[in-house]
Amino acid sequence: MRRRILLADDHPMFRQGLKALLEQEGFEIVAEAADGHQAVTQARQLEPDIAVLDIGMPLLNGIDAARQINKQAANTQVILLTMYEEEAYVLEALRAGVRGYVLKAQAAADLVSAIREVLRNAVYLSPGISKAVVDA
């Protein structure tokens, strides 16, 4: 069974690259969103296995979208894909119920690993992020 994924990022070219990468790995992209509100609506309607969200989206940021997805589409696990390494973002994301935190600088390699780990009910943090969480 192919795992169903929602991609949400406000940069269409970046989404297209992610879509190509994930489809090549055998995942099915069921929807794409350009802002947090679209992501929440699509997650609620389609109930994908995973929602991959950027933090810095218009209308509703990725962390707030994750909170809403966790309430409205409880079977959808959220992974944040971001350039923000700061401890405050990581901790807020984890408090919001995010199951994966992947840095865009390492996206190609880490995102597939993160999806697989989260599908196994694990939490995935990009290398380098783990130290910030432990220190906190």
Side-chain angles (χ1 to χ4, degrees):
M1 176 173 86
R2 288 179 55 171
R3 296 305 192 135
R4 303 169 67 246
I5 298 179
L6 160 68
L7 295 177
D9 191 290
D10 56 326
H11 296 98
M13 208 164 160
F14 188 74
R15 279 196 323 267
Q16 290 171 1
L18 286 179
K19 181 178 180 179
L21 168 75
L22 295 175
E23 286 178 340
Q24 190 173 32
E25 291 292 327
F27 298 108
E28 178 185 1
I29 307 307
V30 295
E32 295 181 43
D35 64 61
H37 285 302
Q38 284 180 348
V40 172
T41 298
Q42 291 175 341
R44 186 179 58 246
Q45 291 172 349
L46 301 171
E47 295 190 9
D49 299 302
I50 300 281
V52 177
L53 311 176
D54 182 22
I55 285 182
M57 292 187 292
L59 304 180
L60 186 66
N61 70 54
I63 293 174
D64 290 336
R67 280 188 188 96
Q68 289 189 25
I69 289 170
N70 285 331
K71 289 177 186 170
Q72 298 177 30
N75 293 326
T76 299
Q77 301 297 320
V78 178
I79 295 173
L80 287 183
L81 182 58
T82 182
M83 62 184 170
Y84 299 109
E85 297 181 46
E86 293 84 2
E87 173 185 305
Y89 286 104
V90 178
L91 294 175
E92 187 177 354
L94 292 172
R95 286 185 197 109
V98 168
R99 303 288 305 196
Y101 197 97
V102 178
L103 297 175
K104 282 187 175 180
Q106 303 163 330
D110 279 3
L111 184 57
V112 172
S113 296
I115 291 169
R116 290 189 175 130
E117 287 298 309
V118 169
L119 287 170
R120 287 193 280 268
N121 288 321
V123 173
Y124 184 92
L125 303 174
S126 280
I129 294 298
S130 302
K131 183 180 181 333
V133 173
V134 170
D135 288 348

